[in-house]
Amino acid sequence: MNGAREHWGSRLGFILAAAGSAVGLGNIWRFPYVTGTNGGAAFLIIYLVAIVLIGYPMMITEVGIGRRTQRNPVGAFKALAPNTPWWLVGALGVLTGFVILSYYSVVAGWSLSYIFKAIAGFTPEMAFDELFVGHISQIGEPILWHLIFMALCVGIIAAGVVRGIQRWVKLLMPILAVLLVVVALRALTLPGAGEGVAFYLQPDFSEVTGTTFLDAIGQSFFTLSLGMGAMITYGSYLKKEDTVPGNGAYVVGADTAIAIIAGFAIFPAVFALGLEPGAGAGLTFITLPAVFAEIPAGSFFAFLFFVLLSIAALTSAISLMEVVVAWITDEKGMPRKTATILVGAISFVVGIPTVLGYSVLSDVTFLGFDLLDTYDWIANAIMLPVGGLLTAIFAGYVWTAKKAQEDFNTPPSRIVLGNWYGVMIKFIVPIAIILVLVFGIIDVV
Ligand code: PFF
């Protein structure tokens, strides 16, 4: 495209947008559970080490590649390594964004529908497992919510980086933070909440196994939206004079803080009611509604919770969509609005089989997964790690860690990357990702 590239109006604009991308379903339904079942505070320590050693170096690498090249992921690799096949790493990122968006929108649609179920009221005699299964095994309703959610993304992305993304994250991210704190305070003040806090954080090193480390690394990757060019894309709207190490640190810090607070919102409540914690859809759409049904003004807190979950999903989904839209507008010269509608329409259609997987296509499975979990597994266990691995190898060996480090350190910021950056991006990060990739596949096949 010929027009001048848009840039974030302020550094807060970038930080909120990138934190919005990072804070998503992964923080709310995965992090607390993985922590609780992997030894609590013992896991937290390992997770924080993974964030510092792997998440942070990858974050600044992606943001830095974007800022340096001012391009979408495909264009970014082309700019740094012209006439080589490295642009394919960017293309893999675009494809991954597309795949994740298609089913993330379906799950986000469930969340939207639960806002209205909460308004209608949750009562203790309701059977929440039947309510959830009843909802997802329909066809029209979940597809309609999927469409509504995708339309929201299209509306925001079509309006542009500043007038769309930045404007909305500035409104939504503070609301998300406040709602999460309100729900956490409510949970922590329920009688019997202490047991949940104990389950969540009591360090239990006997639960720490090899898998704990892999879970920590895998989670640090997904939660920070790494491995698929989202941070390259958002970084490409930074100005040259914006710092990379400093801005990256804020994003990583915000994501980690929200994940930790989410644990305080969930476990005290689940344990106070004597229920069993779980992960994923079951925790969010069955266990938590059952908890809310029991507490005073519970439907109101359920409403707040599903609003916050929907916001978290929305600000992540728009970053997925922006990766694809940026590629089409930059590389193919298509006007932004047309590109956005096209991407929204195709992702909507590609997501439909994951809805039908709970009804007419329920016989279709892959490695024992239903269709939605299949999309999720292929994206998370294969596409993100492969994308992240190749990006690290590219930065470390092709662009070279030395040049990357120099580029990221200009202009000077309070955090100065030392030579440790090269050690991380050339050795530690690739080895860690290879382990996650190999064991992730062995585990399932
Ligand atoms: N970081 C998001 C989460 O934790 O739910 C998921 C995600 C969003 C991954 C955007 C990748 C991405 F580009």
Side-chain angles (χ1 to χ4, degrees):
M1 210 173 64
N2 295 326
R5 193 173 196 75
E6 274 198 271
H7 288 105
W8 303 111
S10 65
R11 109 178 250 227
L12 188 66
F14 166 77
I15 292 170
L16 290 179
S21 169
V23 174
L25 299 170
N27 297 59
I28 306 204
W29 82 19
R30 227 179 95 75
F31 174 82
Y33 178 74
V34 177
T35 307
T37 50
N38 272 295
F43 175 83
L44 197 58
I45 295 165
I46 297 167
Y47 175 76
L48 291 177
V49 172
I51 289 282
V52 172
L53 294 188
I54 296 152
Y56 181 65
M58 274 307 286
M59 173 65 70
I60 50 179
T61 301
E62 292 202 16
V63 172
I65 289 177
R67 188 199 60 168
R68 158 72 189 239
T69 59
Q70 303 279 300
R71 291 277 175 288
N72 71 94
V74 172
F77 283 94
K78 278 190 187 164
L80 287 172
N83 306 316
T84 67
W86 279 101
W87 62 270
L88 286 166
V89 180
L92 175 67
V94 172
L95 186 66
T96 311
F98 203 79
V99 171
I100 300 183
L101 177 62
S102 72
Y103 70 85
Y104 211 84
S105 166
V106 171
V107 177
W110 300 345
S111 179
L112 287 180
S113 84
Y114 265 67
I115 295 178
F116 292 89
K117 291 193 186 347
I119 292 175
F122 287 155
T123 54
E125 54 284 349
M126 286 165 86
F128 289 99
D129 43 357
E130 283 166 30
L131 182 74
F132 180 57
V133 174
H135 176 70
I136 64 173
S137 58
Q138 289 172 44
I139 296 178
E141 247 204 74
I143 291 184
L144 181 64
W145 285 112
H146 168 44
L147 179 67
I148 292 172
F149 183 81
M150 197 65 87
L152 289 175
C153 295
V154 168
I156 295 174
I157 292 296
V161 175
V162 174
R163 287 183 44 239
I165 302 175
Q166 174 172 305
R167 178 157 162 218
W168 283 96
V169 294
K170 274 192 160 169
L171 174 74
L172 294 175
M173 290 309 286
I175 297 178
L176 183 150
V178 171
L179 291 182
L180 186 62
V181 170
V182 170
V183 176
L185 287 177
R186 170 67 280 198
L188 283 167
T189 48
L190 288 171
E195 226 183 298
V197 176
F199 169 78
Y200 180 35
L201 289 182
Q202 207 157 62
D204 182 353
F205 286 91
S206 70
E207 302 253 10
V208 173
T209 60
T211 335
T212 310
F213 290 87
L214 297 178
D215 278 347
I217 300 165
Q219 175 69 10
S220 73
F221 231 72
F222 181 73
T223 191
L224 293 175
S225 306
L226 298 170
M228 50 147 292
M231 293 300 164
I232 297 181
T233 308
Y234 275 8
S236 77
Y237 305 122
L238 281 173
K239 299 188 193 107
K240 295 274 185 192
E241 58 270 25
D242 292 317
T243 68
V244 170
N247 281 314
Y250 274 107
V251 176
V252 172
D255 182 74
T256 308
I258 299 262
I260 293 174
I261 299 173
F264 287 113
I266 289 169
F267 290 123
V270 172
F271 277 81
L273 274 292
L275 296 173
E276 281 294 309
L283 172 72
T284 312
F285 294 103
I286 300 171
T287 311
L288 286 181
V291 169
F292 288 124
E294 296 286 344
I295 65 180
S299 296
F300 174 65
F301 285 101
F303 164 75
L304 297 186
F305 175 78
F306 286 108
V307 169
L308 102 80
L309 188 69
S310 303
I311 290 176
L314 182 62
T315 55
S316 293
I318 58 175
S319 73
L320 293 161
M321 188 177 262
E322 180 61 27
V323 172
V324 189
V325 169
W327 166 63
I328 299 181
T329 51
D330 279 1
E331 302 293 309
K332 309 287 165 205
M334 192 186 278
R336 186 173 179 90
K337 284 203 172 60
T338 323
T340 309
I341 294 169
L342 185 72
V343 172
I346 299 176
S347 311
F348 169 68
V349 173
V350 173
I352 289 178
T354 69
V355 176
L356 302 181
Y358 296 106
S359 49
V360 289
L361 297 181
S362 61
D363 289 338
V364 185
T365 58
F366 173 76
L367 300 171
F369 291 132
D370 62 41
L371 275 170
L372 192 140
D373 288 342
T374 302
Y375 278 43
D376 186 44
W377 187 76
I378 291 175
N380 286 322
I382 316 263
M383 296 173 90
L384 288 184
V386 169
L389 176 63
L390 293 172
T391 305
I393 292 174
F394 177 83
Y397 298 94
V398 180
W399 186 16
T400 74
K402 207 166 161 293
K403 277 197 210 150
Q405 182 185 331
E406 217 174 270
D407 195 75
F408 301 165
N409 275 332
T410 333
S413 84
R414 256 184 299 164
I415 305 178
V416 180
L417 297 184
N419 291 332
W420 57 265
Y421 171 75
V423 179
M424 297 298 146
I425 207 70
K426 284 165 77 171
F427 305 106
I428 310 282
V429 174
I431 293 169
I433 300 178
I434 289 171
L435 290 177
V436 168
L437 196 57
V438 171
F439 285 99
I441 294 175
I442 291 178
D443 193 35
V444 167
V445 180

